[in-house]
């Protein structure tokens, strides 16, 4: 009844394509749930695009498209809905399950969810490869270790000498959460949707909030602009850099932000040809150094509405556009670079090795959020680098080269299906990936929209204000000499002893004893930290 009412009263276009049989109920149900809290005025602007997207997207990707379109149409409403969910929807519950098990449910913010996943993955990786536990068991034990405040898992390999037994256990580093935001949005010159890897679109205000306490890295990709300029101005004539109307096509010189042009080192380039002027259609990518977060312009009036986005802005191509182009010109299914050389005449550095460099892998995986197989939801960061035209280890010069324009992220399952010749994959102009089944079925995966990728614009930031002089700290009190007294742990335990874990303990007396030992160890670690801070320098 709720779906019927929504179709009749709020979604007339979705109702029409549903009744015509072109969209199934699972997609309609996903859209009705995703748009339940969106205002009627905003939904009326979104519905034409959603009716088109429902024809080719899976329910899960359709929900992500609803969120992205909401942020594009009305970022203020998207921010209000997010804040309302943060206030009323965050919860954790534990329910009983069969056979002595329990289920834990948690509803977190997007940033909290990605942080938790990163911490669990890091904790699960503190054991050696011989640990007999499955991946799910390791992640569960890692989750419980985080709850107990532990810094690593005890390996269960059973070997007398485990590679992880005598490793130093430093404090856990901060988890990695990757956010893509274009420069105009970061500087409040636009309000384009941003992208949180592993989650999807987020509103620009949340992206700015997370960017204010993060590490920045500028990624500049000028391939399409260079190609368009050459075609527009005839041949290879590019407009002069001093022309005020021409866009910049090279990194800015060092300015007050501290950003510097990339050096020709292995870690800064894309792993492609080091030639300064690549051939048309070949990406010219610059990945600058990691920098501390800069100073963002403040929001002038939080209560003021966002500026409306221009309706005349060009849209990213859609799957239906690609399918129509293929129907008009079937020769497109040969691929943009059928020889697998990515448009190069000579193999660039690293192209004749099977394993891609970190820069080439990052350049490929920046373009897609998931595995490129249509409907697959495996995150791109968890996928393998797949050569679209297969790499030939016996004759690397003749096979597909390891370059950005011959790579895609593919999960293990679909990578193997392609290797087994169940599917053929081609890449079209514009980074669209087409999977072709053995019986002719065609599926298309488009890259992330331009505003959700790492920034491809180069602008000079406004100069930072002069930093204020740091206040003189007050005189410190003399240290408590009690920290140099032997701790309980130093008196009763061996220095290399570790606190016991609580996993699998059911006896109450044993549990209380283990908890007491963990308390003594925590006090011991705190006192050692205080001693280390007060230790005089060795010179």
């Amino acid at each position: 009844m709720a779906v019927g009412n929504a179709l009749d009263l709020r979604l007339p276009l979705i109702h029409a394509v549903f009744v015509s049989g072109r969209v199934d109920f699972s997609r309609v149900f996903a859209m009705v749930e995703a748009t339940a809290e969106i205002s009627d005025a905003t939904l009326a602007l979104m519905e034409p695009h959603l009716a088109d997207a429902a024809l080719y997207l899976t329910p899960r990707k359709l929900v992500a498209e609803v969120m992205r379109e909401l942020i594009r149409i009305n970022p203020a409403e998207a921010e209000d809905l997010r804040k309302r969910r943060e206030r009323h929807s965050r919860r954790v519950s534990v329910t009983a399950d069969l056979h002595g098990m329990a289920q834990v449910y948690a509803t977190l913010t997007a940033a909290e969810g990605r942080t938790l996943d990163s911490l669990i993955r890091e904790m699960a990786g503190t054991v050696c490869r011989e640990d007999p536990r499955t991946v799910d068991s390791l992640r569960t034990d890692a989750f419980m270790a985080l709850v107990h405040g532990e810094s690593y898992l005890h390996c269960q390999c059973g070997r007398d000498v485990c590679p992880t037994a005598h490793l130093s256990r430093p404090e856990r580093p901060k988890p990695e959460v990757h956010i893509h935001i274009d420069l105009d949005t970061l500087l409040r010159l636009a309000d384009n949707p941003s992208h949180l890897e592993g989650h999807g679109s987020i509103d620009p205000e949340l992206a700015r909030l997370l960017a204010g306490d993060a590490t920045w890295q500028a990624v500049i990709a000028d391939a399409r602009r260079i190609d368009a300029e050459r075609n527009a101005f005839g041949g290879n004539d590019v407009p002069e850099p001093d022309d005020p109307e021409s866009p910049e096509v090279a990194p800015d010189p060092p300015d007050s932000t501290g950003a510097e042009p990339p050096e020709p080192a292995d870690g800064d380039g894309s792993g492609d040809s080091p030639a300064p002027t690549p051939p048309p259609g070949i990406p010219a990518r610059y990945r600058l150094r990691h920098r501390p977060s800069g100073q963002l312009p403040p929001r002038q009036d939080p209560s003021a509405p966002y500026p409306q986005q221009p309706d005349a802005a060009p849209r990213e191509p859609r799957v239906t556009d690609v399918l129509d182009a293929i129907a008009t010109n079937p020769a497109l299914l040969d691929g943009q670079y059928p020889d697998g050389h990515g448009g190069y005449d000579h193999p660039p550095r690293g192209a004749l090795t099977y394993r891609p460099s970190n820069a080439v892998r990052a350049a490929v995986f920046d373009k897609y959020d998931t595995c490129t197989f249509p409907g697959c939801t495996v995150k791109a960061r968890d996928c393998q680098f797949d050569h679209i035209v297969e790499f030939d280890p016996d004759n690397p010069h003749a096979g597909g080269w390891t370059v950005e324009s011959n790579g895609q992220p593919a999960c293990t399952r679909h990578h193997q299906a392609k290797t087994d010749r169940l599917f053929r994959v081609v890449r079209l102009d514009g980074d669209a990936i087409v999977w072709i089944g053995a019986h002719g079925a065609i599926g298309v995966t488009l890259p992330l929209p331009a505003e959700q990728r790492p920034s491809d614009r180069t602008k000079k930031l406004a100069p930072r204000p002069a930093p204020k002089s740091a206040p003189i700290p007050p005189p410190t009190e003399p240290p408590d000499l009690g920290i140099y007294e032997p701790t309980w742990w130093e008196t009763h335990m061996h220095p290399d002893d570790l606190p016991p874990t609580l996993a699998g303990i059911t006896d109450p007396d044993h549990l209380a004893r283990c908890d007491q030992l963990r308390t003594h160890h925590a006090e011991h670690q705190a006192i050692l930290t205080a001693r280390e801070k007060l230790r005089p320098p060795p010179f």
Side-chain angles (χ1 to χ4, degrees), residues 166-179:
H166 302 290
L167 295 178
S168 59
R169 304 291 181 177
E171 295 183 0
R172 287 195 305 269
K174 292 183 179 180
E176 283 193 356
V177 177
H178 295 261
I179 304 165

Side-chain angles (χ1 to χ4, degrees), residues 362-403:
V364 171
F365 283 31
D366 280 347
K367 302 174 185 177
Y368 308 93
D369 188 34
T370 61
C371 167
T372 59
F373 186 86
C376 184
T377 58
V378 177
K379 293 174 291 189
R381 195 167 292 275
D382 298 331
C383 291
Q384 300 173 345
F385 183 95
D386 174 37
H387 293 76
I388 296 176
V389 177
E390 291 185 4
F391 182 86
D392 187 353
D394 298 326
N395 188 3
H397 283 273
W401 291 348
T402 307
V403 293

Side-chain angles (χ1 to χ4, degrees), residues 389 447 489 518:
V389 177
W489 195 269
R518 292 168 62 86

Side-chain angles (χ1 to χ4, degrees), residues 148-453:
H148 292 309
E150 299 178 5
S151 59
Y152 64 95
L153 285 178
H154 289 282
C155 187
Q156 298 181 3
C157 64
R159 294 184 291 178
D160 294 335
V161 180
C162 177
T164 64
H166 302 290
L167 295 178
S168 59
R169 304 291 181 177
E171 295 183 0
R172 287 195 305 269
K174 292 183 179 180
E176 283 193 356
V177 177
H178 295 261
I179 304 165
H180 297 170
I181 178 172
D182 64 276
L183 189 58
D184 288 351
T185 301
L186 188 65
L187 298 181
R188 297 188 183 278
L189 302 176
D191 289 306
N192 298 318
S194 301
H195 182 76
L196 176 61
E197 284 193 10
H199 174 80
S201 300
I202 57 177
D203 62 85
E205 197 58 36
L206 175 59
R208 297 186 192 108
L209 178 65
L210 298 176
D213 184 23
T215 300
W216 293 0
Q217 184 183 31
V219 179
I220 307 168
D222 291 324
R224 296 187 192 177
R225 184 163 58 215
I226 292 174
D227 196 11
E229 288 167 354
R230 285 173 174 166
N231 294 335
F233 288 89
N236 295 329
D237 295 332
V238 181
E240 293 297 329
D242 55 357
D243 183 1
E245 297 298 324
S246 65
E248 299 176 3
V249 296
D252 288 331
D255 54 23
S256 58
T257 63
E260 300 175 3
E263 300 173 359
D266 293 346
D268 290 335
S270 66
D272 294 346
S273 174
T277 306
I282 303 303
R285 186 175 296 270
Y286 303 92
R287 188 174 291 269
L288 304 184
R289 296 177 180 177
H290 291 274
R291 298 288 182 182
S293 57
Q295 184 175 2
L296 296 177
R299 187 172 177 179
Q300 300 298 330
D301 184 7
S303 61
Y306 278 85
Q308 292 295 328
Q309 301 296 314
D311 294 335
R315 266 194 177 275
E316 294 287 331
R318 304 175 181 175
V319 170
T320 52
D321 300 333
V322 177
L323 294 176
D324 292 342
I326 293 174
T328 304
N329 182 14
L332 291 176
L333 292 183
D334 293 336
Q336 185 181 17
Y337 303 116
D339 58 359
H341 297 172
Y344 290 98
D345 295 329
H346 304 284
R349 181 177 55 188
L352 301 183
T353 59
Y354 179 76
R355 183 180 179 87
S357 65
N358 291 335
V360 171
R361 179 184 174 91
V364 171
F365 283 31
D366 280 347
K367 302 174 185 177
Y368 308 93
D369 188 34
T370 61
C371 167
T372 59
F373 186 86
C376 184
T377 58
V378 177
K379 293 174 291 189
R381 195 167 292 275
D382 298 331
C383 291
Q384 300 173 345
F385 183 95
D386 174 37
H387 293 76
I388 296 176
V389 177
E390 291 185 4
F391 182 86
D392 187 353
D394 298 326
N395 188 3
H397 283 273
W401 291 348
T402 307
V403 293
E404 179 183 344
S405 45
N406 190 44
Q408 65 162 349
C411 66
T412 306
R413 182 178 182 180
H414 293 123
H415 191 176
Q416 186 61 45
K418 173 177 172 289
T419 303
D420 293 340
R421 303 292 193 275
L422 300 178
F423 297 94
R424 184 170 67 90
V425 177
V426 298
R427 175 186 180 274
L428 305 183
D429 187 17
D431 299 321
I433 302 297
V434 180
W435 288 70
I436 307 165
H439 300 286
I442 296 177
V444 179
T445 297
L446 297 178
L448 286 171
E451 68 270 11
Q452 294 188 10
R453 301 190 202 176

